[in-house]
Amino acid sequence: MGARMCVAVNPNLVAMEYAVRGPIPMRAAELEAAGRRTIPCNIGNPQALGQAPISFYRQVISLLEDPGRLGRERRLRATSGVAPGDLVDEYVLDVAEGMLARMRTGMGAYTESKGPRFIREAVAAYIDRRDALGPGAVPLADPEMIFLTNGASEGAMFVLEILIGGPDDGVMIPIPQYPLYSAAIRRCGGAQVDYHPDEERGWALERHVLEASYAEASARGVKVKAIVVINPGNPTGAILDLASITDVIDFAEAHGLVIIADEVYQHNVYGGEFISFARVLAERPVGLFSLHSTSKGFYGECGHRGGYLEVRNPPQIEGHELSFVDVLLKRASVSLCPNTVGQAMTYLMVAEPREGSSPWARFVAERDAVLAALFEKATMIREAFGQMRGVECFGPVGAMYLFPRLSGLPEGTTDFDYCMALLEETGLCTVNGSGFHQAPGTSHLRIAFLPPKELLAEVLPRWIAFHNRYVG
Ligand SMILES: Cc1ncc(COP(=O)(O)O)c(C=O)c1O
């Protein structure tokens, strides 16, 4: 055999880490291949664990992808002898037909790089509705400041790529954090600046914590440009209160930073209240990039890769007659456009079926059942923690995760060892806290509360037994 070719590559990509798909899930894949059953709780991928898609979304999307069916369905309606139950609902036909008319070029063509204007208008209307701008209020969300994306990950990546121009450009991220951010900062060759929400106060944020991390980074020569906030949190599940959000905005304004608000779990709050950064920002002159996605909430359409990025107060680009949005558009144009199914899903996410329309009751029932089941499953797991020695879990339940603190792991073992042993013994695939860069000296794990209840009921007693034996 000849010598293998060697190539020098971008070292940032080689150094990049992504624990959610790291060694523990890789081992789970090996176990599966060897015939063992595993339970993938390492990632917020609801449909992989049996969550059924919302029927209305899929009915519309199947018509968009097969527009010939629209005509066939209409013709069948005119045929006697076809039972109404065998036909697609007329409202669904109308929605699909309306979307195709406004898309003009159908699902197989490139669209505008930002996505079609009618979808961006629907997103803007959703944001203003969500943020409870009363009737007659001046709309704050602008369709021209909205970019449809292939999932929220792409939106985050676009912003970070533009912001980070060199190794001293810093981005503040919460610790623990969703590894998209550490990986993206690494890939762009920037400086990661950690800040630590207060775990025992339900992961609340305080201004002095942000100031301390900013001062520490500045002292080592880092020019901090942005702060990332994940609300509700991943991996913590934390839901930020108004005081925390206000502190972040005050802090960003004082230091001239932009805020990247990752709000992909905005429909995953169980008991608490989701408050958007856009709502609290109102008309203050702070740059804000808000991200949302079709992957989470009750829709859970991860594979369809839909989402949007909304920009408020885009900064000017230093030394150029350009706004941040001009560069974003250039960046988006290089990828031509986000995928059209994801765009359609994003439209459906923000434009629910009309209240009282024929699909409405089923839509509401499916939505409420998914959210209720998620909360029930989170509660089952939290209750199990009560029977595990040294396990504490802080804050209300949000997002799709619990992030318990593990105290008293045997000397010389880490949370990685614990999660690996848990996988080997029970088949539960979780992620070790160190994969999210937790506070030094602490140990955690993250579990997505997605498996079916029956499976949890079976595995939780085995986890409790494993845990109490492991910690001794
Ligand atoms: C906080 C957070 N942001 C972004 C993403 C990625 O979302 P998307 O599938 O829209 O790219 C995830 C996925 O788990 C997430 O947890």
Side-chain angles (χ1 to χ4, degrees):
M1 241 187 8
R4 272 221 274 163
M5 192 178 97
C6 236
V7 63
V9 298
N10 179 344
N12 294 327
L13 278 153
V14 178
M16 203 166 75
E17 286 175 12
Y18 194 72
V20 174
R21 293 206 192 259
I24 298 173
M26 281 182 195
R27 176 67 187 142
E30 281 173 14
L31 292 176
E32 282 276 339
R36 280 267 314 270
R37 184 195 63 171
T38 66
I39 310 170
C41 296
N42 55 305
I43 192 163
N45 193 10
Q47 295 191 21
L49 281 150
Q51 182 178 304
I54 299 288
S55 310
F56 174 70
Y57 296 158
R58 292 303 185 88
Q59 287 167 350
V60 174
I61 283 178
S62 65
L63 288 165
L64 297 178
E65 288 283 35
D66 181 13
R69 228 181 102 203
L70 279 165
R72 287 199 300 278
E73 289 277 345
R74 295 256 187 240
R75 281 194 298 279
L76 274 174
R77 288 186 168 270
T79 313
S80 57
V82 181
D86 294 342
L87 297 168
V88 174
D89 198 282
E90 186 135 23
Y91 181 90
V92 174
L93 294 180
D94 291 345
V95 170
E97 216 158 49
M99 287 176 73
L100 281 172
R102 282 177 290 173
M103 284 180 93
R104 289 205 202 98
T105 47
M107 297 293 279
Y110 295 130
T111 66
E112 263 188 76
S113 301
K114 287 172 163 177
R117 168 104 189 168
F118 84 94
I119 302 185
R120 291 183 282 112
E121 282 172 356
V123 170
Y126 160 80
I127 292 170
D128 283 344
R129 216 168 43 242
R130 178 200 68 191
D131 292 345
L133 295 189
V138 182
L140 290 178
D142 174 356
E144 287 311 315
M145 298 283 188
I146 290 166
F147 289 73
L148 303 187
T149 55
N150 288 303
S153 311
E154 187 180 62
M157 198 64 217
F158 281 178
V159 177
L160 291 170
E161 263 180 31
I162 297 170
L163 278 174
I164 298 175
D168 295 334
D169 285 346
V171 176
M172 291 176 62
I173 60 172
I175 296 299
Q177 54 101 38
Y178 174 57
L180 161 66
Y181 292 99
S182 50
I185 294 167
R186 171 67 78 153
R187 172 174 158 192
C188 298
Q192 174 180 321
V193 178
D194 297 349
Y195 67 88
H196 293 264
D198 185 346
E199 178 172 18
E200 295 190 5
R201 289 208 313 110
W203 304 100
L205 279 177
E206 282 189 36
R207 175 85 182 256
H208 71 90
V209 170
L210 304 177
E211 293 290 355
S213 114
Y214 182 90
E216 181 279 324
S218 305
R220 62 182 156 98
V222 171
K223 163 101 189 65
V224 180
K225 300 177 103 176
I227 176 166
V228 172
V229 206
I230 308 174
N231 180 41
N234 180 3
T236 60
I239 302 165
L240 289 181
D241 60 12
L242 182 61
S244 296
I245 295 174
T246 307
D247 271 359
V248 173
I249 295 174
D250 291 346
F251 166 76
E253 185 167 15
H255 294 286
L257 311 184
V258 299
I259 300 171
I260 300 172
D262 182 329
E263 297 175 333
V264 302
Y265 296 101
Q266 59 191 263
H267 284 121
N268 298 101
V269 288
Y270 315 91
E273 186 197 2
F274 167 72
I275 308 172
S276 75
F277 268 76
R279 177 172 168 187
V280 182
L281 186 80
E283 298 185 55
R284 291 177 65 178
V286 178
L288 173 66
F289 299 90
S290 306
L291 300 164
H292 193 17
S293 164
T294 61
S295 299
K296 312 296 173 182
F298 54 91
Y299 11 95
E301 293 281 3
C302 300
H304 278 141
R305 313 304 299 127
Y308 69 77
L309 163 68
E310 192 224 353
V311 189
R312 300 260 168 118
N313 308 315
Q316 279 298 118
I317 303 294
E318 206 172 78
H320 296 268
E321 288 294 301
L322 287 173
S323 139
F324 205 99
V325 169
D326 300 322
V327 184
L328 259 176
L329 182 57
K330 214 189 305 200
R331 175 62 191 85
S333 307
V334 173
S335 309
L336 296 162
C337 71
N339 83 89
T340 52
V341 181
Q343 295 185 19
M345 255 313 301
T346 304
Y347 176 79
L348 295 169
M349 172 178 78
V350 297
E352 296 183 339
R354 198 181 58 245
E355 196 170 336
S357 64
S358 35
W360 175 249
R362 181 170 178 191
F363 172 79
V364 169
E366 290 179 353
R367 176 192 70 192
D368 293 353
V370 169
L371 292 174
L374 285 171
F375 186 44
E376 225 179 299
K377 293 187 276 195
T379 306
M380 284 170 80
I381 302 174
R382 262 183 106 119
E383 281 171 7
F385 294 157
Q387 297 174 59
M388 298 181 193
R389 265 195 302 284
V391 173
E392 285 174 289
C393 195
F394 298 92
V397 179
M400 294 181 172
Y401 314 100
L402 294 169
F403 193 67
R405 187 161 74 188
L406 312 173
S407 308
L409 294 184
E411 192 70 27
T413 63
T414 62
D415 50 22
F416 176 83
D417 302 325
Y418 177 95
C419 292
M420 201 54 117
L422 177 65
L423 169 68
E424 297 286 349
E425 181 136 337
T426 65
L428 261 180
C429 182
T430 57
V431 184
N432 50 302
S434 39
F436 304 99
H437 298 218
Q438 65 203 338
T442 64
S443 302
H444 295 81
L445 65 73
R446 187 192 76 172
I447 177 164
F449 44 80
L450 296 169
K453 277 179 267 178
E454 311 68 53
L455 197 49
L456 280 179
E458 184 232 308
V459 78
L460 287 174
R462 291 197 286 123
W463 182 4
I464 295 167
F466 159 83
H467 176 89
N468 291 332
R469 221 175 324 111
Y470 193 89
V471 299

